[in-house]
Amino acid sequence: MALSGRFVAFLAVAVVPVVLLGTGWAGVAWTVVVLAAAALDLVLAADLRRVRVDRRMPRVARRGTVAEGTLVLANDGGRPLRAVVRDLWEPSAGHGPSRARLTVPAGERRTARVRFAPFRRGRRRSAGVAVRAWGPLGLAARQRVLAAPAELVVTPPFRSRRHLPSRLARLRELDGETTLQLRGHGTEFDSLRDYVRGDDVRSIDWRATARRQDLVVRTWRPERDRRVVVVVDAGRAGAGRVEDEPRLDTFIESALLLGALAAAAGDRVDLVVLADTVRERVVGATRSDVVRRFGEALATAEPDLAATDWDAVPAAVDAVTTSRAFVVLLSSLDSPGASGDLAAVLPRLTKRHTVVVTSITDPAVTATARGGAEPVTRPERAARARTTGLPSAAQRDVYRRAAAERSLLDADGIADVARRAGAEVVSGSPADVPPLVADAYIRAKAAGRL
């Protein structure tokens, strides 16, 4: 049961006869009248056991976008329903409006529009729908939470989508809209056309030339239907924050961009989310559903502080394909201690596959190593002034720069180890890594290394 502000206001009126008449009996009588009216109002309210709730809403929404749905209330009772409805979603679902007022006549149904603006990826669930049925006087209401299970999968924002048109244009150039001067491993015959000045003479088809009595050259295109395996590190490497964002978010953006690009090129794309075990797997994503399937699989990915089991990667790739594949390890090369297991597994992968490894650099660390000063707040300066025995500001700056330089040298060292093992290392800031991974794929496609 719930009481309205109108009930409280009517109850407060009991003070007036008490003050004017100087006796409490008039106030007691007024209070009894108000309570009786509230009880009658409660009896005349609609029976919530005869109310049904139905949802019509999307199952998937992208973080940072707005999705719309409807909430349908059906009144199977014999009294009209004057309802205030509140859908009990998690706050991160961005559900709105928080409350809706509906008047549903007996035996009819009414619809309330709802919208979702989620600001966190993952699975968002509703605990039900709270319905408050008011009586005709608006003094008291019945209240009940109706079971209406629902789930909204909030997928990553895919901000790197803006790089997709330019990469697709480069793929179209490789795919025969311009002449390819490629021969040998990793190319497929496409068609014949007339020779023009500047064509490679090795592309001339002499048999076709003899039949047509004119020079004819072969055109080639990159191979299709190749395997691209994307491994996302959901272990401790993804937990580190760069520019106030977990590195796992950069891995996810890179996986989405590469998946959309490779599927558009006609290759088969597979995803493996790896921590101490394989957490998620997407096999055989196509051009039409790669972003959706990758997004749903990566929606619930959270960095784990456990060490990533890189020894499981060769077996995971072999489970996808036994032929040569383009394997992208979305992690970060930090130091021999942190990335030693990853470096140790690279020789086993590069023997059979083309391997690309990512390394994310922190712009703040780079700026510190180059001599950038770290901002210090006034309270921090006051705290340092009260502390004795600490190094001076100049010494602290030297220590900071030395630590940043040491961090960069460690990352460069482990990257050199990866290159000597036969892998290509893509290094950059979080905003640069996704397009750089896409460029590495295009280079491998053009060179026939898939």
Side-chain angles (χ1 to χ4, degrees), residues 288-374:
S288 60
D289 65 0
V290 60
V291 175
R292 177 185 62 80
R293 293 181 62 187
F294 274 26
E296 293 182 13
L298 295 168
T300 57
E302 295 294 340
D304 195 333
L305 295 183
T308 304
D309 184 14
W310 290 109
D311 289 333
V313 173
V317 175
D318 291 340
V320 171
T321 178
T322 57
S323 59
R324 186 177 182 84
F326 184 75
V327 181
V328 180
L329 305 180
L330 298 176
S331 183
S332 187
L333 301 176
D334 296 326
S335 65
S339 305
D341 294 341
L342 171 57
V345 81
L346 287 178
R348 294 160 55 190
L349 287 172
T350 54
K351 283 182 180 179
R352 295 180 52 193
H353 308 290
T354 301
V355 181
V356 173
V357 186
T358 61
S359 180
I360 298 178
T361 59
D362 190 342
V365 174
T366 304
T368 302
R370 293 175 179 173
E374 179 182 338

Side-chain angles (χ1 to χ4, degrees), residues 55-71 87-97 112-120 124-126 129 150-154:
R55 297 180 187 272
R56 298 169 187 171
M57 54 170 287
R59 191 180 65 86
V60 179
R62 184 174 296 142
R63 197 190 93 185
T65 62
V66 177
E68 294 186 350
T70 57
L71 197 64
D87 206 350
L88 305 179
W89 284 93
E90 301 175 38
S92 57
H95 172 264
R113 291 190 173 275
V114 295
R115 61 177 180 81
F116 299 89
F119 54 86
R120 286 186 63 187
R124 301 290 166 255
R125 296 178 175 86
S126 172
V129 178
E151 182 181 77
L152 181 68
V153 179
V154 183

